[in-house]
Amino acid sequence: MKVTVIQQDIVWKDVQRNIARIKKLIMAAERSDIYLLPEMCSTGFCMQPQGVAEEVEGPTVQAMKQLAVELDAAIAVPVMTHENGKYYNRMYFITPEGVAGQYDKHNLFEYSGEDKVFQPGEGKVIWHWRGIRIRPAICYDLRFPLFLYNKAEYDLLLIAANFPDSRLLAWDTLVRARAIENMCYVAASNRVGTDEYGTYKGHSVILNPYGMTLAKCRTSRQGSATASLDDEMVAKLRIMTKLNR
């Protein structure tokens, strides 16, 4: 199993330009089974969703469906979505067969007013893809260890984020902590560039269950990082530590 994190400079509230940029970044990346994009990859972390939030399985999802077929891979694509008059910070899991699952961000970031604009998801979601059990999370979810607590339910944690450079120490520390405490692989994709809220330097990374870095993106640069996952490492570690919960 190979996983790639995409580190993207997101164009503010410009869906079509971001779709073009995402396609270019994925096609330039190493071929993988899973590609992970940063939070709200088609708009930026925007609290004014009117006119820019996409319909269910909107243009970004449709473009990623075609790319998933072309690459015979899964793409985890987080977009701002509107459905039944409500807005969601949603991650779609797209395989060559279509949308295989979705996750709505559960822990909304009150400081930015996200909880006033978006509806929270109901909670835990597990996806299965090519023998790997996957738990999705979006940005602020990272700060809630009990929410992400792993009872031997998943092998890979996918984290899509818009973490600014002012909180990069927290980002680096928390993604490593989530890998170690949950004894799982972590693939964490954070954006780069600037928007109305600040500057982003990325630090997108893939970690093994010991918290060791397998691959990482260059700071403040668009690009990607790819790593191969050992399907048996998670099970062996849990048996060794007698924590196969």
Side-chain angles (χ1 to χ4, degrees):
M1 168 70 71
K2 294 180 73 173
V3 177
T4 290
V5 291
I6 300 295
Q7 187 163 279
Q8 175 193 354
D9 185 350
I10 302 172
V11 185
W12 187 248
K13 298 171 69 172
D14 193 327
V15 173
Q16 293 304 320
R17 285 182 67 189
N18 284 313
I19 290 173
R21 185 166 290 184
I22 291 165
K23 287 181 176 179
K24 185 175 181 180
L25 287 166
I26 290 178
M27 293 306 295
E30 188 174 337
R31 291 295 177 261
S32 296
D33 297 283
I34 300 173
Y35 298 86
L36 172 65
L37 295 162
E39 181 182 22
M40 290 194 188
C41 63
S42 64
T43 58
F45 188 65
C46 173
M47 295 299 104
Q48 301 85 37
Q50 296 81 3
V52 291
E54 300 187 31
E55 297 178 357
V56 175
E57 300 189 26
T60 304
V61 171
Q62 294 303 318
M64 295 304 103
K65 280 184 175 181
Q66 296 177 11
L67 204 54
V69 171
E70 182 177 345
L71 297 174
D72 187 31
I75 305 174
V77 51
V79 296
M80 185 194 309
T81 302
H82 68 85
E83 182 177 10
N84 298 324
K86 297 179 180 180
Y87 297 103
Y88 297 88
N89 188 343
R90 177 172 293 172
M91 184 190 294
Y92 291 95
F93 191 68
I94 301 169
T95 70
E97 290 71 41
V99 175
Q102 65 182 45
Y103 165 72
D104 294 326
K105 186 177 181 180
H106 179 69
N107 298 288
L108 301 177
F109 190 43
E110 295 180 8
Y111 182 77
S112 70
E114 186 180 17
D115 59 316
K116 304 294 192 301
V117 179
F118 296 92
Q119 296 294 311
E122 294 184 357
K124 178 171 59 180
V125 171
I126 303 290
W127 299 324
H128 295 79
W129 174 244
R130 293 182 177 171
I132 295 289
R133 300 169 300 169
I134 302 162
R135 175 83 186 266
I138 301 176
C139 206
Y140 197 48
D141 286 331
L142 180 62
R143 290 186 176 270
F144 296 85
L146 293 181
F147 176 67
L148 297 175
Y149 184 71
N150 188 6
K151 298 180 181 179
E153 299 161 303
Y154 64 89
D155 312 303
L156 170 65
L157 176 62
L158 298 180
I159 305 167
N162 268 235
F163 248 78
D165 63 354
S166 59
R167 293 192 286 276
L168 269 181
L169 177 60
W171 167 259
D172 292 339
T173 303
L174 292 171
V175 294
R176 202 169 304 278
R178 297 298 86 87
I180 294 168
E181 70 194 5
N182 291 304
M183 289 176 286
C184 69
Y185 287 96
V186 169
S189 175
N190 191 31
R191 68 158 294 179
V192 293
T194 60
D195 63 15
E196 292 188 357
Y197 297 100
T199 302
Y200 305 83
K201 294 183 178 179
H203 286 209
S204 301
V205 67
I206 302 172
L207 305 173
N208 75 9
Y210 294 94
M212 299 172 63
T213 301
L214 299 179
K216 62 181 179 179
C217 294
R218 295 177 64 184
T219 299
S220 299
R221 297 285 297 272
Q222 286 197 124
S224 64
T226 302
S228 295
L229 311 188
D230 180 350
D231 296 351
E232 298 181 357
M233 176 179 282
V234 172
K236 289 178 180 178
L237 175 60
R238 289 174 182 161
I239 291 170
M240 180 182 70
T241 56
K242 299 181 180 179
L243 286 173
N244 194 15
R245 298 179 282 234

